[in-house]
Amino acid sequence: MVRNNIIGFTNSGKSDKKIFSWNPTSGLKNSEEGFAVANDEEIEEALNLAKSAFSELSGMSSILRAEFLEEIGNQIILLGDHLITTVVSETGLPDGRVIGERGRTVNQLKMFASVVREGLWTEASIDEAIPDRQPNPKSDIRKKLIPIGPVVVFTASNFPLAFSTAGGDAASALAAGNPVIVKAHEAHPATNALVAEAIQRAASICGMPNGTFSTLYGNGNEIGEKLVSHKEVKAVGFTGSFSGGKALFHIANSRPDPIPVFAEMSSVNPVVVFPEILSTESSQIAAKLANSITLGSGQFCTNPGLILIVEDRDTEEFINLLGQKISESSVSPMLTKGILNNYREGIKRIKNSDKVRTVALVEGFENGTPAIFEVDADDFINDNHLAEEVFGPSSLIVRCQDTQVLKSVIEKLDGQLTGTCFGTKGELIGNEDVLQILQSKVGRVIINDVPTGVEVCDSMIHGGPFPATTDIRFTSVGSDAIKRFARPICYQDFPDSLLPLELQNRNPLNIIRKVNGELTRSSLVKLSVSGS
Amino acid sequence: MVRNNIIGFTNSGKSDKKIFSWNPTSGLKNSEEGFAVANDEEIEEALNLAKSAFSELSGMSSILRAEFLEEIGNQIILLGDHLITTVVSETGLPDGRVIGERGRTVNQLKMFASVVREGLWTEASIDEAIPDRQPNPKSDIRKKLIPIGPVVVFTASNFPLAFSTAGGDAASALAAGNPVIVKAHEAHPATNALVAEAIQRAASICGMPNGTFSTLYGNGNEIGEKLVSHKEVKAVGFTGSFSGGKALFHIANSRPDPIPVFAEMSSVNPVVVFPEILSTESSQIAAKLANSITLGSGQFCTNPGLILIVEDRDTEEFINLLGQKISESSVSPMLTKGILNNYREGIKRIKNSDKVRTVALVEGFENGTPAIFEVDADDFINDNHLAEEVFGPSSLIVRCQDTQVLKSVIEKLDGQLTGTCFGTKGELIGNEDVLQILQSKVGRVIINDVPTGVEVCDSMIHGGPFPATTDIRFTSVGSDAIKRFARPICYQDFPDSLLPLELQNRNPLNIIRKVNGELTRSSLVKLSVSGS
């Protein structure tokens, strides 16, 4: 049986073109049946269905959406070991990691369900009328966030569950009340099929409108352009390469009606190491960094790809320690042949630079062999290519003579997801200007810990200045991610019964609202001014 | 004396090229001295100064910013009648309107000062560490909004004060902590000079860093491209034409590092009139609409340019009444020769369409002569040009046979700032689907009132889908306008003393924050986990 595109509640495989996934560990094709790619007719169907689902969803209670999100989580758990073995066969990731990622995915769905129930995310705000205000009466004015419209989600190679079919982008877009069309990742189509069917079942159980969720298979560039330029699509979520994200961003902005693209792309996540802390914690920091660099074969967007060291007497020892740890670390397969080839080429490029010295590298580097290089600050500053992301378990140490040079190196960097500082309290306080410059380049600043491990919580920002993402104003991880797929609307002098529940006088959802400038759960005792 | 560009605390006029303003009432040049346009060197100076001011501003207390905003208001009031007569001479607007707009401008500055003092806008959020969490400890994670960087503001022809030099864009950008570079409007350079000097004085009195505010004169297209493509510029505010806004949007997105552009551009603000309400309120609605259409010579972005009537027995009478009111309305000059010429051409284009009938129009139409036209829904749907904005005191009535046709007409419309419905309560409740479609096209929906008159308050949304604005997710009026010029940042495991005041344990600014998921003003009793 060919696993098909899912278009609302029907499955469809009209094209003879197929895609197949490969087992990164064995190098073999996972199955001979493959997945039929979506043709133009199927794309049209999915988008038209999404349009009509959107208008139905707008009239539904937010409670039902919360239940739907939780049911997706239940259905994913019900997939049991079959999901885990499928992911492992398509990604080469170890069991434990995949089980952990499933947990994170289910927890994210639960988190967005509670965000939806809490209702604070809608930013409901009411300014009551003042009919006798001089010189002009004041109208009754209310606002809240509403869903933006059908959202296309491009899934990530490196998070087959948490940033994929039912991952953060899809979950937050659904939570806000939008239909979602997931473009399945070429590297893990069978994983996509299992999760998509789980979502389809949850949608059916919870009575979601047909077209609330669809998933389409296809070649990234071709289907990507068709989806992002389609008039019914109102926003895009993407996690992947700089070239892919940038291409979608430009397609979206060239539409007659440009739409927002939330692309998380490229980041080398600079780590600053001040000298004093190395006198006591050299070995711990080297171990932490080595672990962070090699975790999951370095295939994390927050992987520390650049280590900026202010030179002092412990520098050599620290670099040696780090090199040693890296040499001792185990080798694991990379997600796809494409990623492995890119990693090899990236490593080759750095290794072949005149100015760069190799600290640790297993010759031959089959699979995702960990590597550490070093370069002097001046040479780094003069070679733009050295600041480019090498996706995988390698890191480049930049040796800075002093903090002035360190600041020049940071100034030169592009936008990043994260920036990290290791230092004693005295070093941190004495170098507040370094932290300030670092902050201007990133979305998250970390003190004395590694950037990998992105906590899913209210205060998380997983984003940053271009080219880390295409929109510095939003996060793709944490509860605020829901705000990407919403837009505000204002209701002036509406009859109470025509207002959405969040803005009705009696506050039927019992949410916190801003009423005449004060945050409160209170209902408004008087009737609305008009329409009563 | 040539009135010069203001670059921080110095005035500079290096170029021999000058611009001059004209009195729209007399048709004469306002002065022979003119204003020296900024050359490349002056643009560089203003932007470099803004960069250094930005880093100084980041370290300053928000209280000082609030005082600065209030002092700008004081300095504007101190300009006295000289400001009013200058605006009148450059815009042709009546005294009363200009005095009212000055009041609005000063009130906006005060509002943003209180928004800054209140601190809620920063979205401060704290998730405390859980060091003993299993399987992994949880870090201390905090976030808040921070200023985005130097902002360029393009001022509006039709609001020489409230959407210009110290208007909503500049005030909200300064409130967020950004330096601002105002591109002076060619139509009111002397007004700009007075207000800019007021801001300069306020900056000096309040000890703001040099470069917090600059203003440059120049030809819109040329200086616009230079400013928006400049690497130190991090966001753009614009109020004006579709072609101007769209050009800036594309320049900003073609940068190596795209930046957000908040352009408010074009809107015809459809008004739906249901039949039943006309049986009792025909005359009141006609009077309200006629007044809204002709207010300020129709030069408002929320001017009702399209009236969609569901035909019934009172339709003819209503159209006649509206035509009569429009014919009786007074004629006032338009802001500039360019706007007047565009208005004349727009009117001519509509008038010459085969399908359009003229309901009211004073032949010859010197100045901004009010006009009303009507067209059948089918003809409207088949002619794309009829839906285009004609900036001035005219409106096009579209006669719809029934609500089905009405819905097709609304479906066809582009994005708008506002949509209005006049109807009895029964008509509104019976046509919720019409309201739903209308909502999908606009940023603000108004019941039984006119769209002109944009209340400055928490719940206002002055924005909407493209081409009404370039960013559907934000408002340019009301307290939330500040969020356009900010971005979130996340601090992980920071020593308390290195956190911004808004996120420190003891909550020194006494603001409302989200702490472990709950909104509270409480301080955190325990010390921060790291760095203590």
Side-chain angles (χ1 to χ4, degrees):
Chain A
M1 178 206 68
V2 174
R3 306 297 278 274
N4 294 326
N5 303 287
I6 284 183
I7 300 174
F9 292 127
T10 64
N11 291 20
S12 173
K14 293 181 177 167
S15 164
D16 290 334
K17 276 201 238 168
K18 288 183 193 175
I19 59 169
F20 304 89
S21 71
W22 299 78
N23 185 318
T25 312
S26 68
L28 301 174
K29 214 185 247 189
N30 276 310
S31 91
E32 292 300 326
E33 19 175 17
F35 296 78
V37 308
N39 66 15
D40 289 353
E41 203 183 318
E42 289 167 313
I43 293 173
E44 255 339 273
E45 279 173 32
L47 267 303
N48 289 332
L49 214 52
K51 189 195 176 180
S52 74
F54 180 55
S55 96
E56 278 190 71
L57 279 167
S58 301
M60 286 173 71
S61 152
S62 55
I63 310 294
L64 292 175
R65 288 210 308 280
E67 287 168 0
F68 173 46
L69 293 168
E70 285 159 344
E71 188 57 36
I72 296 173
N74 294 340
Q75 292 295 326
I76 288 173
I77 294 297
L78 286 175
L79 293 169
D81 283 349
H82 183 36
L83 177 64
I84 307 301
T85 53
T86 304
V87 175
V88 170
S89 73
E90 292 197 314
T91 63
L93 294 170
D95 278 28
R97 149 72 196 271
V98 176
I99 291 168
E101 193 180 325
R102 178 180 62 181
R104 176 177 169 169
T105 307
V106 172
N107 284 338
Q108 281 182 161
L109 288 158
K110 283 185 191 161
M111 179 193 69
F112 284 117
S114 60
V115 166
V116 168
R117 283 206 169 87
E118 185 198 45
L120 191 62
W121 81 273
T122 62
E123 299 178 5
S125 173
I126 299 174
D127 287 293
E128 288 186 285
I130 309 176
D132 56 356
R133 187 181 64 174
Q134 294 302 327
N136 299 309
K138 182 179 182 179
S139 296
D140 180 282
I141 296 173
R142 308 185 182 207
K143 80 160 171 72
K144 72 177 282 274
L145 295 182
I146 58 172
I148 198 165
V151 174
V152 169
V153 171
F154 293 85
T155 52
S157 61
N158 59 341
F159 278 94
L161 298 173
F163 281 80
S164 287
T165 321
D169 285 354
S172 56
L174 290 170
N178 303 291
V180 165
I181 300 96
V182 166
K183 205 291 278 177
H185 202 284
E186 290 96 322
H188 41 73
T191 303
N192 180 72
L194 285 177
V195 178
E197 283 156 15
I199 299 174
Q200 198 183 36
R201 278 193 294 277
S204 165
I205 291 168
C206 298
M208 290 291 117
N210 191 9
T212 301
F213 177 84
S214 294
T215 185
L216 303 171
Y217 296 84
N219 165 275
N221 293 345
E222 201 184 323
I223 196 172
E225 177 155 5
K226 283 177 187 166
L227 288 171
V228 175
S229 58
H230 195 286
K231 70 178 170 37
E232 300 303 345
V233 174
K234 300 300 177 194
V236 176
F238 170 91
T239 312
S241 69
F242 174 65
S243 59
K246 200 175 172 217
L248 296 182
F249 177 73
H250 284 300
I251 293 166
N253 283 321
S254 306
R255 291 167 54 118
D257 58 330
I259 57 171
V261 172
F262 304 95
E264 188 205 309
M265 304 181 294
S266 143
S267 185
V268 293
N269 304 296
V271 175
V272 171
V273 182
F274 284 115
E276 207 177 288
I277 199 167
L278 292 184
S279 68
T280 52
E281 296 184 38
S282 200
S283 153
Q284 294 94 315
I285 295 174
K288 270 188 188 180
L289 277 176
N291 185 48
S292 179
I293 291 166
T294 55
L295 197 69
S297 285
Q299 299 165 117
F300 288 110
C301 39
T302 53
N303 190 259
L306 205 58
I307 301 172
L308 316 178
I309 300 187
V310 181
E311 291 182 309
D312 208 336
R313 57 167 202 281
D314 299 307
T315 307
E316 290 305 331
E317 189 207 338
F318 173 71
I319 293 176
N320 288 339
L321 273 170
L322 182 57
Q324 199 181 317
K325 295 272 179 203
I326 289 289
S327 303
E328 292 163 1
S329 59
S330 63
V331 173
S332 51
M334 297 196 80
L335 291 158
T336 68
K337 284 180 190 167
I339 289 175
L340 178 59
N341 288 338
N342 283 341
Y343 180 65
R344 283 179 178 162
E345 276 170 32
I347 291 293
K348 218 177 276 172
R349 178 167 53 76
I350 294 183
K351 198 166 167 279
N352 293 343
S353 161
D354 290 352
K355 311 293 184 185
V356 171
R357 299 173 294 275
T358 300
V359 176
L361 172 72
V362 182
E363 286 300 331
F365 49 90
E366 283 305 309
N367 291 319
T369 300
I372 293 280
F373 304 96
E374 63 166 8
V375 65
D376 294 331
D378 285 353
D379 294 326
F380 178 80
I381 288 174
N382 291 326
D383 185 344
N384 284 327
H385 293 300
L386 291 176
E388 286 170 12
E389 185 181 19
V390 177
F391 193 71
S394 86
S395 197
L396 174 63
I397 294 168
V398 181
R399 299 174 73 126
C400 308
Q401 298 94 293
D402 52 36
T403 51
Q404 207 49 49
V405 173
L406 170 68
K407 283 190 269 185
S408 310
V409 170
I410 302 174
E411 278 282 13
K412 196 193 139 70
L413 296 177
D414 283 335
Q416 308 288 341
L417 292 170
T418 70
T420 300
C421 268
F422 282 94
T424 62
K425 194 169 181 187
E427 281 178 314
L428 297 169
I429 290 172
N431 289 290
E432 215 171 333
D433 52 345
V434 172
L435 285 171
Q436 196 65 44
I437 300 172
L438 192 61
Q439 169 178 312
S440 74
K441 299 286 182 177
V442 307
R444 177 166 57 112
V445 190
I446 301 129
I447 299 293
N448 292 333
D449 204 352
V450 293
T452 46
V454 183
E455 187 72 37
V456 180
C457 64
D458 287 334
S459 306
M460 177 49 62
I461 295 301
H462 190 61
F466 196 94
T469 75
T470 47
D471 200 329
I472 191 176
R473 296 163 298 170
F474 294 88
T475 178
S476 64
V477 174
S479 51
D480 277 357
I482 192 174
K483 301 219 177 177
R484 294 176 298 167
F485 302 116
R487 62 133 174 154
I489 192 145
C490 176
Y491 302 94
Q492 185 167 330
D493 289 335
F494 260 55
D496 197 56
S497 65
L498 285 176
L499 284 166
L501 294 175
E502 290 86 350
L503 294 177
Q504 290 184 1
N505 288 334
R506 64 191 177 91
N507 192 14
L509 298 175
N510 192 33
I511 63 173
I512 295 176
R513 315 186 288 188
K514 205 173 195 186
V515 177
N516 304 321
E518 300 292 330
L519 291 169
T520 174
R521 283 191 206 272
S522 299
S523 73
L524 301 178
V525 284
K526 70 184 185 71
L527 292 168
S528 72
V529 168
S530 71
S532 56
Chain B
M1 178 204 72
V2 175
R3 306 298 277 273
N4 294 326
N5 304 288
I6 284 182
I7 299 173
F9 292 127
T10 63
N11 291 21
S12 173
K14 293 181 177 167
S15 163
D16 290 334
K17 275 202 237 168
K18 287 183 194 176
I19 59 167
F20 303 89
S21 72
W22 300 77
N23 185 317
T25 312
S26 67
L28 302 174
K29 213 186 244 188
N30 276 310
S31 90
E32 291 301 325
E33 18 176 20
F35 296 79
V37 308
N39 66 16
D40 289 354
E41 201 183 320
E42 288 166 314
I43 292 174
E44 262 328 283
E45 279 173 32
L47 267 304
N48 289 333
L49 214 52
K51 189 194 177 183
S52 74
F54 180 55
S55 95
E56 277 191 69
L57 279 167
S58 301
M60 286 173 71
S61 152
S62 55
I63 311 293
L64 291 176
R65 288 209 309 279
E67 287 168 0
F68 172 46
L69 293 167
E70 285 160 343
E71 187 57 36
I72 296 173
N74 293 340
Q75 292 295 327
I76 288 173
I77 294 297
L78 285 175
L79 294 169
D81 284 350
H82 182 37
L83 176 64
I84 306 302
T85 55
T86 303
V87 175
V88 170
S89 74
E90 292 196 314
T91 62
L93 294 169
D95 279 28
R97 149 75 196 270
V98 177
I99 291 168
E101 194 180 323
R102 178 180 63 184
R104 176 177 170 169
T105 307
V106 172
N107 285 338
Q108 281 182 161
L109 289 159
K110 283 185 191 163
M111 179 192 71
F112 285 116
S114 59
V115 166
V116 169
R117 283 205 169 88
E118 186 198 44
L120 190 63
W121 81 273
T122 62
E123 298 178 6
S125 174
I126 298 173
D127 287 294
E128 288 184 285
I130 309 176
D132 55 357
R133 188 181 65 174
Q134 295 300 329
N136 299 308
K138 182 178 181 180
S139 296
D140 180 280
I141 296 173
R142 308 184 182 208
K143 80 159 172 75
K144 72 178 283 275
L145 295 181
I146 58 171
I148 196 165
V151 174
V152 169
V153 171
F154 292 85
T155 52
S157 62
N158 59 341
F159 278 94
L161 299 173
F163 282 80
S164 288
T165 321
D169 285 355
S172 56
L174 290 170
N178 303 291
V180 166
I181 300 95
V182 166
K183 205 291 279 176
H185 202 283
E186 291 95 321
H188 41 73
T191 303
N192 179 72
L194 286 176
V195 177
E197 284 156 14
I199 299 174
Q200 198 184 35
R201 277 192 294 276
S204 165
I205 291 168
C206 297
M208 290 292 117
N210 191 10
T212 301
F213 177 83
S214 294
T215 185
L216 304 171
Y217 296 86
N219 164 275
N221 293 344
E222 202 185 321
I223 195 171
E225 177 155 4
K226 283 177 187 166
L227 288 171
V228 174
S229 57
H230 196 287
K231 70 177 170 33
E232 299 303 345
V233 173
K234 300 301 177 195
V236 176
F238 169 91
T239 312
S241 69
F242 174 65
S243 59
K246 201 176 170 214
L248 296 182
F249 178 73
H250 284 300
I251 293 167
N253 283 322
S254 306
R255 290 167 54 120
D257 58 332
I259 56 171
V261 172
F262 304 96
E264 187 206 310
M265 302 180 294
S266 143
S267 184
V268 293
N269 305 296
V271 175
V272 171
V273 183
F274 285 115
E276 207 177 287
I277 199 168
L278 292 184
S279 67
T280 53
E281 295 185 38
S282 200
S283 154
Q284 294 94 313
I285 295 172
K288 268 188 190 179
L289 277 176
N291 184 50
S292 178
I293 292 165
T294 57
L295 197 70
S297 284
Q299 298 165 118
F300 289 109
C301 38
T302 54
N303 191 259
L306 206 59
I307 300 170
L308 316 178
I309 300 186
V310 181
E311 290 182 309
D312 207 336
R313 59 168 200 281
D314 298 307
T315 308
E316 291 303 331
E317 190 206 337
F318 173 72
I319 293 176
N320 288 338
L321 272 170
L322 182 57
Q324 199 180 316
K325 295 274 180 201
I326 290 290
S327 302
E328 291 164 1
S329 61
S330 62
V331 173
S332 52
M334 296 196 81
L335 290 158
T336 68
K337 284 181 191 168
I339 290 175
L340 177 59
N341 287 338
N342 283 342
Y343 180 64
R344 283 179 179 161
E345 275 171 33
I347 290 292
K348 219 178 276 174
R349 177 169 52 77
I350 294 184
K351 199 167 167 277
N352 292 344
S353 160
D354 289 353
K355 311 293 185 186
V356 171
R357 299 171 294 277
T358 301
V359 176
L361 173 71
V362 182
E363 287 299 333
F365 49 89
E366 283 305 309
N367 290 320
T369 300
I372 292 281
F373 304 97
E374 62 166 12
V375 66
D376 294 331
D378 286 354
D379 294 325
F380 177 81
I381 288 173
N382 292 324
D383 185 343
N384 285 327
H385 293 299
L386 291 176
E388 287 170 11
E389 184 182 22
V390 177
F391 193 69
S394 87
S395 197
L396 175 63
I397 295 168
V398 181
R399 299 174 74 126
C400 308
Q401 298 93 292
D402 51 36
T403 52
Q404 208 48 50
V405 173
L406 170 69
K407 283 190 271 187
S408 313
V409 170
I410 302 174
E411 278 282 13
K412 197 192 138 69
L413 296 177
D414 284 334
Q416 308 287 340
L417 292 170
T418 71
T420 300
C421 267
F422 283 95
T424 62
K425 193 169 181 186
E427 283 177 312
L428 296 169
I429 289 171
N431 289 289
E432 216 172 333
D433 52 346
V434 172
L435 284 170
Q436 197 65 44
I437 301 172
L438 192 61
Q439 170 178 312
S440 74
K441 298 286 182 175
V442 307
R444 177 165 57 113
V445 190
I446 301 130
I447 299 294
N448 292 333
D449 204 351
V450 292
T452 46
V454 182
E455 188 72 36
V456 180
C457 64
D458 287 335
S459 307
M460 177 50 63
I461 295 300
H462 190 61
F466 196 92
T469 75
T470 46
D471 200 328
I472 193 176
R473 297 163 297 170
F474 294 87
T475 178
S476 64
V477 175
S479 51
D480 277 357
I482 192 174
K483 301 219 177 172
R484 294 176 298 167
F485 302 116
R487 61 134 174 153
I489 191 144
C490 177
Y491 302 94
Q492 185 166 328
D493 289 336
F494 260 56
D496 197 55
S497 65
L498 285 176
L499 284 166
L501 294 176
E502 290 86 349
L503 293 177
Q504 289 184 2
N505 288 333
R506 63 189 178 94
N507 193 14
L509 299 175
N510 192 33
I511 64 173
I512 296 177
R513 313 186 289 188
K514 205 172 195 187
V515 177
N516 304 322
E518 299 292 330
L519 291 169
T520 174
R521 284 191 204 271
S522 298
S523 73
L524 300 178
V525 283
K526 70 184 184 71
L527 291 169
S528 71
V529 167
S530 70
S532 56

